[in-house]
Amino acid sequence: MNTIHNIGVFTSGGDAPGMNACIRAVVRTALFEGKRVTGIHQGYQGMLDANFTEMNSRSVSNIIQKGGTILKTARCLEFKTPEGRALAYQNIKNAGIDGLVAIGGDGTFTGADYFSKEYDIPVICVPGTIDNDLYGSDYTLGYDTATNTVIDAIDKIRDTAASHGRLFFIEVMGRDSGCIALNAGIAGGAEAIMLPEKETAIDDLIELLEKAAFKQKTSTIVIVAEGEKNGGAYNVANRVKEKFDYYDTKVSILGHLQRGGSPSSFDRVLASRMGYAAVKCLLAGDTRMTVGLRGNEIKTTSLEEALHNKEFKLSKDMLEISHIMAI
Ligand code: ADP
């Protein structure tokens, strides 16, 4: 087993609230264990550019409450090539980094998978993405915060929708995963929720809206996940308006405001637990593993499994609850 002296930590892909709290946990756990920590800036791009900084406890002061990532993030196409990864390995070896903690989503995990197969460098991955679309963790970092941001927006839109008797289509993030849409939809009392995982026919949606109108609802909110199959909130709204004009109709695309903001207490604690566990795993000699929350315990899953198993995180009960609560 290789003894690790210097842990490199980086964030990559889409930023998510809680990434900073996780960097902090990695740095402080590693220092507590008597190890050095190197911050790698801009994800895999930073490995190619040798953009490294030695971190100490003060480097991560006052960041637990901050969204985004102090190490920055980037999409790095060159890392997808064998030549790019060879240069990255050379640079991290030259810097004396002998173990890595990667915080990011599916793409970040894929890069870590290639890298750790090709080169003798232990890697532990932490699931950081608002989409909650990774196998091996009930929750990914940032998902809880993003869901709360969406709920806040729904509540505000509900005020105006109810005052004017309007029908609102609110588009939320989730190209392949309907987790934010379903959970925020239930929590925000949405009348309908359209998900990437489950096609909604426009005629069925209209029938549901007619029912809501018949029951004298004063406002109606439809949550549309960006990856649902009818082409997004504007398309859905236009098609609904052709056949159903009971309400004044509006569309609101929440967009990137869902990515930012101060992490919730849940994400801060999760980030602390995952960052701590990632360092402990590295020091125990593990590699090619991901850490995740299952039940209320932090568990590891092999990178292989995390990448190849697809988990359907929307339970049948949750789907039924969303229907029953809507009318
Ligand atoms: P996320 O981690 O949020 O899913 P991306 O899909 O953009 O974000 O992936 C982040 C980075 O991971 C990419 O910019 C790239 O550097 C690296 N990466 C993604 N896919 C691969 C791949 N197939 N091979 C090597 N590196 C990859």
Side-chain angles (χ1 to χ4, degrees), residues 12-14 44 74-77 79-80 85 104-108 110-111 114:
S12 160
Y44 293 116
R75 312 238 186 227
C76 174
L77 292 181
F79 194 77
K80 293 189 177 182
R85 292 193 291 274
D106 192 46
T108 302
T110 306
Y114 277 102

Side-chain angles (χ1 to χ4, degrees), residues 75-114:
R75 312 238 186 227
C76 174
L77 292 181
E78 215 182 323
F79 194 77
K80 293 189 177 182
T81 66
E83 298 75 21
R85 292 193 291 274
L87 176 60
Y89 183 70
Q90 206 47 56
N91 286 338
I92 63 168
K93 272 290 154 198
N94 290 344
I97 296 167
D98 47 17
L100 291 171
V101 175
I103 308 165
D106 192 46
T108 302
F109 282 21
T110 306
D113 184 45
Y114 277 102

Side-chain angles (χ1 to χ4, degrees), residues 12-132:
S12 160
D15 63 298
M19 281 183 161
N20 281 328
C22 190
I23 295 166
R24 173 179 178 270
V26 169
V27 170
R28 292 198 172 162
T29 307
L31 294 174
F32 177 81
E33 295 289 346
K35 307 298 173 186
R36 290 173 58 199
V37 194
T38 301
I40 301 169
H41 297 263
Q42 295 187 301
Y44 293 116
Q45 187 62 48
M47 292 188 193
L48 292 164
D49 300 338
N51 193 353
F52 306 135
T53 312
E54 174 113 19
M55 300 186 86
N56 59 38
S57 197
R58 293 290 72 73
S59 323
V60 290
S61 289
N62 201 20
I63 65 167
I64 193 168
Q65 76 280 22
K66 294 198 169 120
T69 158
I70 59 159
L71 289 176
K72 314 285 185 198
T73 181
R75 312 238 186 227
C76 174
L77 292 181
E78 215 182 323
F79 194 77
K80 293 189 177 182
T81 66
E83 298 75 21
R85 292 193 291 274
L87 176 60
Y89 183 70
Q90 206 47 56
N91 286 338
I92 63 168
K93 272 290 154 198
N94 290 344
I97 296 167
D98 47 17
L100 291 171
V101 175
I103 308 165
D106 192 46
T108 302
F109 282 21
T110 306
D113 184 45
Y114 277 102
F115 200 47
S116 55
K117 263 188 200 150
E118 291 168 354
Y119 296 100
D120 179 26
I121 179 91
V123 183
I124 304 293
C125 293
V126 177
T129 160
I130 64 166
D131 292 336
N132 203 27

